[in-house]
Amino acid sequence: MTKYKHLLVAILIVVTSIQSSAFCGFYVAKADAKLFNKKSEVILVRDGERTVVTMSNDFSGEVNDFAMVVPVPVVLRREDIKVVNRSIFNTLDDYSAPRLVEYYDENPCTPRFEYSMQESVQLTSMAINEFAPSANMVRKDYQVTIEARYEVGEYEILILSAKESDGLKRWLTDNDYKIPESAEEVLDPYIKSNMKFFVAKVNLATFKGTNSEFLSPLQITFNSDRFMLPIRLGMANANGFQDMIVYALTREGRVECTNYRTVKLPTDRNIPLFVQPEFGEFYKKLFEKAYTREGENAVFLEYAWDVSPSAGVKCDPCIGPPPIAQDLVQAGASWIANNSWNERAFFTRMHVRYDRENFPQDLFFQVTPNQERYQCRYILTHPAQGDLSCEGGQRYIEELNMRRKKEMDELVALTDWKGKYGSNYINQYENQKNEKKNWIIPVLGGSTPWTLPLAFGLMVLLIGVLNKIFTRRAATH
Amino acid sequence: MTTAILKKTIKMPIVFTDPRLFQICALSSFLIFGIIQLGWSDQIESYFLIISFALVTQAAWMLGLGLKADTLKSGLITGLGLSLLFHSSNPLLWAAAPILAISSKYVIQWKKRHIFNPANFGIIVPILLFGDSWISPGQWGSSAVLLFFFGSAAAMVLLKVGRIDTSLAFLGTLFLLEFLRNVVFLGWEWDVVTHKFTNGSLLLFAFFMITDPKTTPGGWLARMLWGVGIALLTFILTSKFYIHTAPMWALFFAAPVTALLDNWFRGRHFSW
């Protein structure tokens, strides 16, 4: 039997950061810059009815093109809005991203111990300057009320309430927020649900840089019984699907979606060694496959763990430093601040790929008491080194071949990557041994609607037969 | 009438003539579907414990009260219903929920009829009393499931195996209200409403929980009112208070009303 010796290395490859993004709102261009908001990150903290939403604003493009509109349930006060350091997103991402781990086999002929360590996580955090200047907004008869106006960080923020979508649309257009045509119809339901609009632009008068990569994340706090993310507005200028990573923090346990399925991604799988340099691509492909299999309308769980300051093991293995109390507070879990050692915090990372067709409703969430840990973890196993000519070594090679075949099968099952390195990899250590047949449980495709009728048919047969047996037995007694 | 003729002329499998066996088939195939297709396989231990405890509790009451062995079927139905809806991180509750559910039938009675739908009681009480259980309304979410629920509903109408009129009163009212609010008032597109109604938990509730003849009012009109009432309560809880598990709560609090309705409408005959 193969023995795994040391768990040595944890490599994180942050899922490729694609272009710019839109969270619940949308980014609009003033010029005709072509914008594709593909990936965004949101921190969502829920404590009773108190909700803190932090939007990463990782927008790529000209700073003066940046504009966002986010529906919010209440008029936010000045103290409810702040900018936070971008590093909080990096901390949470580094900590919870899908991980690749390595094990080393022990040589059955000459057992020895190896220990080495490598880590490849480096994401820099950047300091953000604060700005507090002013700008002018003219109010015409748009039936739009500016409920509040704030200067926060480099942003110029307005809280609007509107009577009808047309007025709001005109207002936004006249104030240089170029609204996509399709946004108007989505504005209407939000107005009628009594939502306010959180509108932010970069204050060009004072923002020195032109590089939007340095925009700071905006954090808003409010009380509402609605625990949701209004994604519909963000679909207005999106081309195809968008990806969103949600980092959720609660006192009780996991956060799950209530109107879409929250699905775990395949985890703890043994995969071939050659995946290592391409782990990012591997994970992207794995996600894509899972997304298709689950019908393109699920929310995926990528990580769930107790991150309470007093919790013992915060990750296994850790690929980035676990968030400390200060990070949690910065993310919005303010209950940690007072008595950090006794307070609980549970972290959930979700990944949702959404588009208009498959996600007609906004995302609604609930906090559950579920504290079960979960992580996306993929395993590499390095073969034993050295002389394998002893009897045990020969057996080991046989097992190794079988294992590698399984790894290849697993790789195909997870990603559909076929034949790239296949036979070479499996046979690399095969000397004189014959290959044995491998077995794998067939995985049913996600969109096979016949499973249910089939199950039903079988149950009808089974229950019918059982019933007959029981009634006959009862009759004979 | 037609059903009777149908039953005589075509020899139907027993499963389609005994409502409880039909329910067992349907619910267990939902569970198998969930395990294979929707990734519920990591909760198999809980299903096993819940169903076992449901059967054991039912058997205990059966022996204690000298009931017919037939009642084991309803024990199994409750166990399956709980498995499909109830979640807990505390394994003790996997045992407690079915015990509560089934015992409620024999303990909480009014005029020799139990008041609460057993599965509903077994889900709500642990949530009320202990913190570590919950319902996951988003756990289904596939159109294949929807089709099958419609199939079941059609079968139920055809074979008169359940009280489908309650389901229709409930779903019809709720659909009307959701349509008026979301499409007519708020101006969302149609698929926002249809998406809400493809929720497997809602359909499971509508077709397999409120159709239970033991805990729904006897008279047709009373049943209609009851279905409409639960839909109204569900609508208010969802759209005003954003409670996503509203139907379960609505049924729980509406359960005692069944007895009242039965009292008021007693003696009236409704025939078509």
Side-chain angles (χ1 to χ4, degrees):
Chain A
M1 214 185 88
T2 312
K3 278 183 186 160
Y4 295 128
K5 194 69 198 178
H6 298 292
L7 160 63
L8 291 177
V9 187
I11 298 166
L12 151 78
I13 299 184
V14 179
V15 183
T16 48
S17 52
I18 324 162
Q19 286 227 17
S20 61
S21 64
F23 146 65
C24 358
F26 48 80
Y27 294 107
V28 288
K30 278 197 287 190
D32 27 351
K34 298 263 185 294
L35 288 179
F36 299 94
N37 29 13
K38 284 292 188 191
K39 182 178 151 257
S40 52
E41 291 170 281
V42 178
I43 304 173
L44 201 54
V45 176
R46 180 82 168 171
D47 178 23
E49 293 208 334
R50 185 172 172 276
T51 309
V52 185
V53 184
T54 314
M55 296 156 280
S56 65
N57 294 350
D58 49 352
F59 163 89
S60 77
E62 289 291 308
V63 163
N64 50 357
D65 287 341
F66 176 89
M68 73 189 299
V69 183
V70 180
V72 287
V74 291
V75 175
L76 302 171
R77 297 165 302 172
R78 171 63 185 85
E79 60 267 34
D80 297 333
I81 309 167
K82 58 179 177 181
V83 291
V84 297
N85 197 309
R86 174 164 296 282
S87 62
I88 183 64
F89 279 95
N90 298 335
T91 307
L92 294 181
D93 184 28
D94 291 358
Y95 164 66
S96 62
R99 58 213 55 208
L100 189 62
V101 298
E102 287 181 313
Y103 291 88
Y104 288 82
D105 282 345
E106 189 185 327
N107 188 320
C109 301
T110 51
R112 65 206 166 91
F113 298 92
E114 252 184 50
Y115 203 84
S116 75
M117 187 79 110
Q118 39 171 301
E119 211 175 280
S120 66
V121 189
Q122 61 293 90
L123 283 165
T124 46
S125 56
M126 25 206 139
I128 275 102
N129 302 330
E130 296 242 342
F131 294 80
S134 65
N136 271 328
M137 293 273 181
V138 189
R139 202 200 135 181
K140 288 190 212 155
D141 190 23
Y142 301 103
Q143 288 193 294
V144 170
T145 315
I146 300 173
E147 303 276 359
R149 177 201 304 258
Y150 309 114
E151 305 286 337
V152 182
E154 65 267 47
Y155 299 102
E156 196 175 84
I157 289 160
L158 298 170
I159 310 289
L160 306 176
S161 65
K163 288 270 190 298
E164 39 110 30
S165 57
D166 180 54
L168 179 61
K169 193 193 164 201
R170 275 189 295 121
W171 188 94
L172 290 168
T173 317
D174 291 356
N175 288 283
D176 288 341
Y177 294 85
K178 198 176 159 206
I179 299 292
E181 268 313 305
S182 53
E184 189 185 341
E185 53 196 61
V186 191
L187 290 175
D188 214 32
Y190 288 123
I191 294 172
K192 287 184 177 144
S193 322
N194 220 5
M195 299 280 258
K196 313 290 177 232
F197 294 87
F198 174 94
V199 177
K201 274 209 281 193
V202 175
N203 195 326
L204 293 170
T206 49
F207 187 71
K208 298 282 191 317
T210 49
N211 195 344
S212 59
E213 279 171 38
F214 295 94
L215 289 178
S216 11
L218 270 165
Q219 186 174 75
I220 55 176
T221 306
F222 52 86
N223 280 321
S224 169
D225 42 14
R226 282 180 256 198
F227 184 26
M228 51 98 76
L229 284 176
I231 53 170
R232 279 298 306 276
L233 207 46
M235 293 172 188
N237 70 335
N239 195 335
F241 60 75
Q242 301 173 70
D243 281 280
M244 180 165 65
I245 309 281
V246 181
Y247 309 102
L249 282 166
T250 68
R251 284 177 197 256
E252 296 90 347
R254 277 192 200 173
V255 168
E256 64 174 33
C257 189
T258 60
N259 53 350
Y260 298 93
R261 286 171 59 210
T262 309
V263 182
K264 287 177 187 164
L265 285 159
T267 183
D268 286 335
R269 303 303 172 97
N270 290 288
I271 53 171
L273 289 174
F274 58 77
V275 172
Q276 181 166 0
E278 298 175 73
F279 182 61
E281 281 304 306
F282 161 83
Y283 184 73
K284 258 173 83 177
K285 190 74 190 123
L286 178 146
F287 182 83
E288 221 169 276
K289 197 175 174 202
Y291 163 76
T292 315
R293 186 182 61 235
E294 303 298 342
E296 305 189 350
N297 57 6
V299 173
F300 291 91
L301 181 70
E302 285 186 329
Y303 197 80
W305 215 279
D306 186 350
V307 292
S308 309
S310 58
V313 185
K314 290 195 184 129
C315 31
D316 178 26
C318 287
I319 51 171
I324 55 170
Q326 202 186 334
D327 297 323
L328 301 175
V329 174
Q330 205 196 0
S334 56
W335 67 87
I336 299 288
N338 308 325
N339 187 1
S340 71
W341 196 251
N342 292 328
E343 294 295 350
R344 315 292 303 163
F346 197 89
F347 177 81
T348 315
R349 173 184 172 127
M350 288 167 284
H351 185 165
V352 51
R353 175 168 287 181
Y354 59 94
D355 61 5
R356 168 64 190 86
E357 194 191 336
N358 296 302
F359 284 81
Q361 283 192 74
D362 285 328
L363 296 172
F364 279 87
F365 298 97
Q366 71 177 7
V367 180
T368 73
N370 187 359
Q371 299 219 346
E372 198 195 334
R373 292 167 175 180
Y374 173 81
Q375 59 179 337
C376 289
R377 180 169 167 272
Y378 308 94
I379 304 153
L380 300 178
T381 318
H382 291 278
Q385 298 299 312
D387 178 29
L388 292 167
S389 56
C390 70
E391 201 188 319
Q394 291 297 298
R395 259 201 318 275
Y396 168 76
I397 292 173
E398 203 175 302
E399 285 162 6
L400 181 66
N401 288 339
M402 275 175 65
R403 186 179 79 198
R404 289 196 155 190
K405 190 154 191 307
K406 277 188 193 168
E407 287 174 358
M408 287 301 296
D409 288 342
E410 194 75 84
L411 182 68
V412 173
L414 292 174
T415 61
D416 285 339
W417 278 355
K418 280 178 195 146
K420 219 170 169 183
Y421 310 83
S423 57
N424 281 349
Y425 178 70
I426 297 168
N427 298 329
Q428 196 182 350
Y429 286 80
E430 186 176 286
N431 308 341
Q432 49 286 83
K433 302 288 175 190
N434 285 330
E435 199 180 293
K436 276 192 181 176
K437 258 224 164 334
N438 182 27
W439 58 274
I440 189 163
I441 301 166
V443 181
L444 289 167
S447 48
T448 43
W450 47 265
T451 322
L452 191 48
L454 186 74
F456 180 72
L458 287 175
M459 287 317 296
V460 166
L461 270 175
L462 183 72
I463 302 286
V465 169
L466 283 178
N467 191 63
K468 202 152 229 178
I469 294 168
F470 280 118
T471 42
R472 209 170 268 172
R473 191 172 289 172
T476 51
H477 275 296
Chain B
M1 200 41 189
T2 42
T3 330
I5 295 166
L6 203 72
K7 277 178 187 167
K8 272 181 190 163
T9 46
I10 310 165
K11 196 167 178 303
M12 296 294 273
I14 178 82
V15 166
F16 290 104
T17 51
D18 182 338
R20 282 189 283 186
L21 287 183
F22 175 83
Q23 287 216 359
I24 291 171
C25 285
L27 295 176
S28 41
S29 47
F30 292 156
L31 198 59
I32 293 171
F33 175 78
I35 292 168
I36 298 177
Q37 209 77 27
L38 304 177
W40 303 352
S41 46
D42 51 351
Q43 293 155 41
I44 281 188
E45 303 98 324
S46 79
Y47 302 146
F48 181 76
L49 266 181
I50 289 174
I51 294 170
S52 313
F53 270 89
L55 287 171
V56 168
T57 315
Q58 185 65 57
W61 283 103
M62 186 183 83
L63 295 175
L65 300 175
L67 306 168
K68 279 193 280 180
D70 225 26
T71 52
L72 281 179
K73 288 181 199 163
S74 35
L76 183 54
I77 292 174
T78 306
L80 287 165
L82 280 173
S83 306
L84 288 169
L85 292 162
F86 180 74
H87 295 270
S88 178
S89 48
N90 181 354
L92 282 178
L93 290 180
W94 299 341
I99 293 174
L100 280 168
I102 286 169
S103 304
S104 78
K105 288 197 289 187
Y106 305 104
V107 176
I108 310 171
Q109 286 190 338
W110 195 67
K111 290 192 176 173
K112 291 190 176 167
R113 262 184 76 167
H114 58 268
I115 295 171
F116 291 101
N117 176 299
N120 183 258
F121 188 86
I123 293 164
I124 296 293
V125 170
I127 293 178
L128 280 175
L129 297 184
F130 316 100
D132 42 9
S133 42
W134 69 98
I135 304 167
S136 290
Q139 67 179 4
W140 303 79
S142 154
S143 49
V145 178
L146 178 74
L147 277 179
F148 194 71
F149 272 113
F150 277 128
S152 312
M156 284 160 78
V157 178
L158 193 65
L159 307 159
K160 289 210 172 174
V161 285
R163 295 192 162 176
I164 193 74
D165 45 6
T166 327
S167 310
L168 298 180
F170 169 77
L171 281 178
T173 312
L174 192 60
F175 191 84
L176 186 72
L177 292 169
E178 290 284 359
F179 170 75
L180 288 177
R181 178 180 155 79
N182 288 293
V183 180
V184 178
F185 175 64
L186 292 179
W188 286 117
E189 301 87 339
W190 257 105
D191 57 347
V192 171
V193 179
T194 47
H195 185 259
K196 284 187 183 213
F197 279 80
T198 52
N199 183 321
S201 305
L202 180 72
L203 295 169
L204 184 74
F205 173 83
F207 289 120
F208 292 91
M209 195 170 268
I210 57 169
T211 48
D212 172 18
K214 288 278 173 79
T215 48
T216 42
W220 182 82
L221 184 58
R223 220 156 52 226
M224 288 286 115
L225 282 176
W226 195 73
V228 170
I230 291 178
L232 269 172
L233 195 53
T234 302
F235 177 73
I236 295 167
L237 291 178
T238 345
S239 50
K240 188 95 184 102
F241 301 100
Y242 297 91
I243 297 171
H244 306 291
T245 51
M248 301 297 290
W249 292 95
L251 178 64
F252 184 77
F253 291 111
V257 184
T258 314
L260 284 178
L261 281 172
D262 265 345
N263 230 14
W264 290 339
F265 289 93
R266 196 171 22 183
R268 289 208 203 170
H269 297 287
F270 300 99
S271 55
W272 288 91

